Amino acid sequence: MELNEIFKKVKAASRTLSSIDDDKRNEVLLKLADLLEANRDMLLEANKRDLDKMSEDNPLYDRLKLTEERIAGIAGDIRNVATLPSPVGEVLEERILPNGIRLKKVSVPFGVIGVIYEARPNVTIDVFSICFKSGNACILKGGKDAEESNLAAMEIIHRALREEGVSENVAELLPATHDATAALLNAVGYVDVCIPRGGRKLIDFVRDNAKVPVIETGAGVVHLYFDDYADYNVGIKCVANSKLRRPSVCNALDTLLVHQDRIWNLPELTAPLAEKRVELHVEPCAMEILKNYYPNELLVPAREEDWDTEWMDYKMGIKIVASIDDAIEHIAKHGSGHSESIITMAPIFAEKFQREVDASCVYVNLPTSFTDGAQFGLGAEIGISTQKLGARGPMGLREMTTYKYLLEGEGQVRS
């Protein structure tokens, strides 16, 4: 089928979603969760075919990998989404104008949402569940690395829609080709908004080449600042969890900033990282402290470009700063607006950090690993928006709606 024909079918199907009530949407989602678990082996076999084509040393390998536990987690997220209140039709504002016209501002779906993403097969399910619950159709374009997994996931989605009597055209998966990407970015009149999920290279390409509106997400150069007044034990836990939980995801720690008066805590702060063989890119003063405690073969002299690197791997930078102002200045220069954290017991510094750091999520005494739609109570998520116009941070149901004005009167005319 020609890509334009796919776009037309999805656009037409999107208009039928307005006649489906929330109870029906929830039935479809619960059916999908059940089918995912029932067809777990089929999904794992498809995923293995993808994994067999990728080296285990590739930082994207962990993102690509599905397990029984992860499939159960995806199904759980879908069931969670089904329990959430729908934002569709919510009255955001209501008043009577001086001329007697009754005005309402109500929440409505975008219509058709296009999503371009890399080696993350869970995105196929997450995006569909959020889009469908919020009354949107979706056109998905995954990467070649996850092609088999994405095809299997879409087959299960289509089966759930079919069994519940809903058009399969409300969700379509495009071929994993460059031509499909170009077509989606130019689908004016069919796609209402496009969301890229992946590294900086993908996001920049989509933003620079799209003719349809774009919401930027994902790329994260993430910092954690260990302040002069930091609690030692809190710092150890937060550094380890931020870096080691899943090093390949966008909320993973990239640069640890340490106050110069706490440089002596570096051996303890990095001890859990040594166990996982994390390569540290450090300045000379930090190198002097660490060389007697950290595996020397994993200590690398830091380069200026390291501070702008989203590692997505068992690698991390360490920068020594003279003050909280220096830490905030470093984040302003090298951060990507994703997630930033401070470890401090000084309320005045915690408040200053949260006030002055420009990011979608700013933490105090917490790891950056919490930047996630499910952790924020949003169910699954479309992605983490790092822009300021419109959605920002984890994008759940409410962020997948826009609004329109409804006006009623008794024949009033404008003079």
Side-chain angles (χ1 to χ4, degrees), residues 272-309:
L273 309 184
E275 295 177 15
K276 293 293 185 178
R277 305 288 294 172
V278 175
E279 182 180 279
L280 300 181
H281 293 239
V282 300
E283 298 177 299
C285 55
M287 184 80 76
E288 282 299 311
I289 298 294
L290 287 170
K291 67 181 182 182
N292 296 321
Y293 299 95
Y294 205 85
N296 286 348
E297 68 275 13
L298 297 176
L299 295 175
V300 179
R303 306 165 300 169
E304 186 61 27
E305 55 263 36
D306 289 342
W307 311 132
D308 296 307
T309 300

Side-chain angles (χ1 to χ4, degrees), residues 61-268:
Y61 188 89
D62 180 63
R63 282 190 172 195
L64 174 61
K65 187 175 182 179
L66 290 175
T67 63
E68 292 187 10
E69 182 180 6
R70 288 183 180 180
I71 291 173
I74 294 169
D77 284 344
I78 296 171
R79 293 188 178 104
N80 188 27
V81 169
T83 68
L84 298 175
S86 170
V88 179
E90 180 180 346
V91 178
L92 306 174
E93 183 181 347
E94 185 174 11
R95 66 181 188 271
I96 299 176
L97 303 180
N99 59 6
I101 292 176
R102 296 181 295 279
L103 177 147
K104 283 184 182 180
K105 180 181 179 183
V106 299
S107 174
V108 297
F110 279 111
V112 177
I113 295 175
V115 182
I116 301 173
Y117 51 106
E118 294 174 329
R120 297 190 67 170
N122 63 295
V123 172
T124 304
I125 305 293
D126 290 347
V127 167
F128 169 76
S129 63
I130 289 288
C131 285
F132 189 73
K133 174 72 174 182
S134 57
N136 293 285
C138 59
I139 301 175
L140 310 181
K141 162 59 179 67
K144 191 74 175 176
D145 291 334
E147 186 172 19
E148 296 285 345
S149 305
N150 290 334
L151 286 168
M154 186 55 71
E155 182 180 333
I156 296 171
I157 290 171
H158 280 167
R159 180 176 167 187
L161 290 166
R162 196 165 54 245
E163 292 188 8
E164 291 297 324
V166 178
S167 171
E168 296 178 29
N169 293 327
V170 300
E172 291 292 349
L173 178 70
L174 299 182
T177 64
H178 294 301
D179 288 345
T181 299
L184 183 57
L185 296 181
N186 286 276
V188 177
Y190 300 119
V191 174
D192 295 286
V193 64
C194 184
I195 303 172
R197 282 193 63 168
R200 172 52 57 190
K201 187 175 179 181
L202 171 65
I203 293 168
D204 289 346
F205 177 83
V206 169
R207 185 194 60 237
D208 294 344
N209 292 277
K211 291 185 179 179
V212 298
V214 172
I215 299 176
E216 294 186 40
T217 72
V221 178
V222 174
H223 302 82
L224 184 147
Y225 170 49
F226 188 76
D227 181 48
D228 188 20
Y229 294 92
D231 182 291
Y232 167 91
N233 292 311
V234 171
I236 292 173
K237 290 193 295 183
C238 290
V239 170
N241 194 247
S242 294
K243 184 67 224 179
L244 299 177
R245 180 185 170 274
R246 291 189 70 184
S248 64
V249 298
C250 60
N251 60 28
L253 180 60
D254 295 298
T255 300
L256 172 64
L257 304 173
V258 178
H259 191 283
Q260 62 186 9
D261 293 341
R262 300 297 296 271
I263 192 172
W264 306 108
N265 288 134
L266 274 176
E268 293 85 1

Side-chain angles (χ1 to χ4, degrees), residues 335-355:
S336 62
H338 193 291
S339 301
E340 312 291 356
S341 183
I342 182 174
I343 308 301
T344 186
M345 297 305 292
I348 189 171
F349 287 162
E351 181 184 344
K352 176 183 177 69
F353 191 84
Q354 288 196 307
R355 183 178 64 248

